[in-house]
Amino acid sequence: MTTTKTTGAQAVMKSLVAEQVDTIFGYPGGAIMPIYDALYDYEDAVKHILVRHEQGATHAAQGYARTSGKTGVVFATSGPGATNLITGLADAMIDSTPLVCITGQVDSKLLGTDAFQETDVVGISMPITKWNTQVTKAEDIPAAIAKAFYIAKSGRPGPVLIDITKDAQFGEMEFQYEKCTTIRSYRPKPKLNSALVEEAATLINGAKKPYLLIGQGIMLSNAEQELLNFVEKSGIPVASTLLGLGAFPNHHLLYAGYLGMHGDYAANVKTNECDVLIAIGMRFDDRVTGDVSRYAKQAKVIHVDIDASELNKIINADVGVHSDAKEALTLLTELVQEKKHTAWLQEFRDLKKVEVETLQKSTDESFSDEIKMEEVIKMLSEITKGEAVVVTDVGQHQMLTARYYEYNKTKSNITSGGLGTMGFALPAAIGAKFGAPEKTVVAIIGDGGFQMTLQELGTILQSEVDIKIIILNNRFLGMVRQWQQMFFEKRYSFTNMVSPNFIALAQAYSISAKKVEAREELKENLLKMLHHNGPYLLEVMVAKEENVFPMICTGASVSEVRLN
């Protein structure tokens, strides 16, 4: 293997090129300046997106990773630059998103002295990274980066962090790069136990009311086609978690709906009526299960997950299959019998009818003269045919989008699931567009969440990112207000939101914008936004006190779904 003399900073860039990195999100500073100097020579090979805040870099990298299927890469300096990554790292960790974050650090001789902008980012980030390390010698940089990319993407993906001291960046070394393909004692892809899959198939073949729950693990293992093959052969209704949306086309006749606290009525209720519950690539999050002591007690449970720690963690499985979803589904499809569960499927449709009629009556009576958030989502879905990449922030609009946008393409739902990070959508949409430049990317954001990271409008301006932004403005922190209305006697404590002139703000960043207040103006302006060449911000004034239903209240069973 040939070697070349290089600095540690140059080794960083050479290593990233060897890993086929084409996009980096970052913000320069003193401790990472040598790496940025090396980056200067790679402008033609690697695109660098200058964000306006390091948290924005992590969320942008998440959006990029989720649409492209690649590993997102982030640069940040030491001290506050590094600590500003923490929220994004935590978000990526719980949502299984592969990131490699590279931070600069003070000289190794200054470590532990409270030097200017010194922070123990390795210690701080340890609980929220899949792996992290500090590099103090130039010669250790290539191996650290190779290991980081392997760990971030293999098995259950997640974020990693490499902290590189400034003297390591300046130091000289003989550069050679070898991709990491194995680490002793780390086995990211378990060997499929075919006997367990056969046991699962036996349960499925004997079931009268089987029910399949899917999560993001389907997309992370690229098992969308295998899932479709399994569902169409077995005839089993399939429901999705929040992060699983898009893994199975929503227009399919066997799609049963969206699971969770604000999920579909039938999708939740039927969990406690099925006789065999099959969960693949999902982790039985508390938002999905409700009261665990009353969750699917009547059913035999089959759980397939690549992370062994998820098996029997929340829900005890009768058959727990530690496996990659793609491999498990391939074998399972061979073993299951071809069936149609016509009567069982009709039960889902009957409950769907009850849900639609009840919710329609309730919202029409309450908000007949005001635009409802769900109207905007339904219209957007219809116009885009469920094929846009939709990036949501956190709150009522997020739940309504999950309910009413018809996701028909994989990797089209980008949201903060486990951590629920307000401010996620705007930077994540920027990254999503770089990850899928050929797709229409629409960010749907509440007036509260938008103001948490609105500085990234500057990134859109400088990088000329063609994303569409919809602000659903209800003048409230809507989800918190809904809880205050339902459980705190309408004591709206600090949830009323006064916002700036969003249109003027967008125009200050050279972004075309329009405000919609009347229902009859909505469709034409959605079309105008989508057909506009370049970024566009559409503010839609919606009903102030619209609530999201169905709803499973805290401590309730999934059977106790409220429709009003």
Side-chain angles (χ1 to χ4, degrees):
M1 183 179 289
T2 59
T3 61
T4 54
K5 198 83 169 177
T6 187
T7 66
Q10 291 167 339
V12 169
M13 291 309 306
K14 289 183 177 183
S15 299
L16 295 179
V17 169
E19 290 290 345
Q20 298 183 314
V21 171
D22 56 23
T23 308
I24 297 167
F25 303 90
Y27 203 95
I32 200 169
M33 208 176 295
I35 291 174
Y36 268 90
D37 183 67
L39 173 62
Y40 191 83
D41 295 325
Y42 287 83
E43 284 185 302
D44 293 335
V46 181
K47 192 184 286 105
H48 179 274
I49 310 305
L50 178 64
V51 297
R52 296 306 185 261
H53 189 284
E54 291 88 354
Q55 181 180 337
T58 52
H59 294 328
Q62 286 177 273
Y64 172 88
R66 297 264 288 274
T67 55
S68 69
K70 300 176 184 177
T71 299
V73 179
V74 174
F75 282 175
T77 194
S78 64
T83 59
N84 282 343
L85 303 180
I86 296 302
T87 297
L89 287 169
D91 196 295
M93 185 68 175
I94 200 165
D95 282 354
S96 305
T97 305
L99 301 184
V100 170
C101 296
I102 296 175
T103 54
Q105 184 56 277
V106 300
D107 273 27
S108 56
K109 66 179 180 294
L110 295 176
L111 291 172
T113 68
D114 294 329
F116 177 67
Q117 290 192 333
E118 181 200 358
T119 302
D120 180 13
V121 69
V122 171
I124 293 170
S125 65
M126 191 172 292
I128 51 168
T129 49
K130 193 175 174 185
W131 177 72
N132 67 16
T133 189
Q134 186 173 79
V135 178
T136 59
K137 296 178 181 178
E139 57 264 32
D140 295 334
I141 287 174
I145 290 176
K147 188 175 180 181
F149 274 88
Y150 176 60
I151 291 174
K153 197 75 169 64
S154 58
R156 179 179 180 175
V160 301
L161 182 141
I162 307 172
D163 192 43
I164 307 177
T165 61
K166 201 166 184 179
D167 51 325
Q169 296 173 51
F170 277 124
E172 289 197 338
M173 58 170 291
E174 294 289 338
F175 179 80
Q176 60 180 31
Y177 194 79
E178 185 176 343
K179 281 200 172 190
C180 181
T181 57
T182 183
I183 299 172
R184 190 173 65 179
S185 79
Y186 173 58
R187 296 178 179 83
K189 193 169 184 180
K191 184 178 180 181
L192 182 64
N193 186 329
S194 57
L196 286 174
V197 179
E198 289 170 8
E199 191 178 336
T202 300
L203 284 177
I204 293 168
N205 289 334
K208 302 296 183 187
K209 295 184 175 184
Y211 190 21
L212 173 60
L213 312 183
I214 60 164
Q216 188 187 198
I218 298 293
M219 290 179 281
L220 293 175
S221 68
N222 299 309
E224 294 91 338
Q225 186 59 51
E226 287 74 16
L227 171 66
L228 187 64
N229 295 342
F230 170 74
V231 172
E232 292 189 337
K233 182 179 180 183
S234 65
I236 298 173
V238 52
S240 173
T241 66
L242 176 63
L243 290 184
L245 290 167
F248 189 81
N250 288 19
H251 59 55
H252 198 285
L253 291 174
L254 290 171
Y255 180 67
Y258 159 55
L259 295 162
M261 177 177 279
H262 292 288
D264 293 315
Y265 187 51
N268 282 310
V269 168
K270 290 302 173 184
T271 306
N272 277 2
E273 295 180 16
C274 64
D275 56 3
V276 173
L277 185 69
I278 311 137
I280 303 180
M282 56 87 75
R283 58 187 179 87
F284 289 112
D285 173 78
D286 61 288
R287 286 298 199 258
V288 166
T289 63
D291 180 4
V292 174
S293 69
R294 292 182 285 164
Y295 183 82
K297 291 301 178 184
Q298 80 295 336
K300 295 289 186 182
V301 176
I302 299 164
H303 190 185
V304 178
D305 205 286
I306 199 166
D307 185 351
S309 71
E310 294 295 347
L311 300 175
N312 301 312
K313 184 173 83 173
I314 308 295
I315 300 297
N316 288 326
D318 295 275
V319 182
V321 183
H322 182 209
S323 170
D324 172 77
K326 192 183 188 84
E327 290 186 4
L329 277 166
T330 300
L331 181 54
L332 202 55
T333 303
E334 292 177 13
L335 298 172
V336 296
Q337 298 167 359
E338 191 166 346
K339 287 189 177 183
K340 294 186 186 300
H341 297 279
T342 307
W344 175 229
L345 283 167
Q346 189 59 46
E347 291 184 33
F348 284 86
R349 291 171 186 146
D350 291 343
L351 286 188
K352 180 66 175 178
K353 187 177 179 182
V354 171
E355 175 189 320
V356 170
E357 290 176 353
T358 305
L359 294 181
Q360 192 66 52
K361 181 181 178 183
S362 175
T363 54
D364 284 351
E365 289 174 353
S366 303
F367 307 107
S368 58
D369 297 327
E370 299 175 275
I371 300 174
K372 301 186 292 293
M373 286 184 277
E374 72 172 72
E375 288 182 77
V376 183
I377 306 307
K378 286 178 179 177
M379 195 173 289
L380 177 69
S381 183
E382 180 184 333
I383 293 170
T384 60
K385 300 177 182 172
E387 296 181 353
V389 172
V390 178
V391 187
T392 52
D393 215 79
V394 173
Q396 288 180 314
H397 67 278
Q398 177 191 34
M399 296 296 98
L400 287 164
T401 303
R403 287 179 48 72
Y404 294 114
Y405 193 85
E406 191 174 85
Y407 293 96
N408 292 320
K409 296 292 184 181
T410 187
K411 297 181 177 66
S412 61
N413 167 47
I414 315 299
T415 196
S416 172
L419 197 64
T421 304
M422 288 181 68
F424 172 87
L426 187 61
I430 293 169
K433 184 65 177 179
F434 282 107
E438 75 287 357
K439 299 285 183 66
T440 297
V441 176
V442 183
I444 301 175
I445 316 177
D447 47 313
F450 183 76
Q451 292 181 77
M452 287 193 169
T453 51
L454 60 79
Q455 72 275 356
E456 298 308 331
L457 293 175
T459 306
I460 296 172
L461 169 65
Q462 183 163 349
S463 300
E464 300 179 336
V465 193
D466 182 7
I467 65 170
K468 315 306 179 187
I469 304 160
I470 299 175
I471 299 176
L472 297 179
N473 189 348
N474 60 6
R475 290 81 84 202
F476 267 115
L477 294 175
M479 188 62 84
V480 183
R481 183 214 54 77
Q482 177 171 336
W483 280 60
Q484 288 173 336
Q485 176 185 331
M486 295 177 67
F487 308 116
F488 292 89
E489 301 175 339
K490 291 190 176 182
R491 290 162 59 86
Y492 294 158
S493 180
F494 298 99
T495 47
N496 183 58
M497 177 66 65
V498 177
S499 299
N501 184 333
F502 290 129
I503 306 306
L505 186 66
Q507 290 170 346
Y509 286 94
S510 300
I511 296 170
S512 297
K514 176 74 175 178
K515 184 175 184 176
V516 173
E517 299 183 78
R519 179 174 283 113
E520 56 269 20
E521 298 175 354
L522 180 59
K523 187 170 185 177
E524 67 174 287
N525 280 289
L526 279 172
L527 287 166
K528 182 179 179 181
M529 175 193 75
L530 291 167
H531 293 150
H532 181 76
N533 183 23
Y536 197 99
L537 185 147
L538 185 68
E539 179 186 9
V540 184
M541 305 305 294
V542 295
K544 285 192 74 172
E545 296 189 55
E546 178 185 356
N547 289 333
V548 186
F549 288 103
M551 180 177 181
I552 303 170
C553 299
T554 302
S557 161
V558 290
S559 300
E560 299 169 330
V561 185
R562 291 179 55 172
L563 288 174
N564 50 48

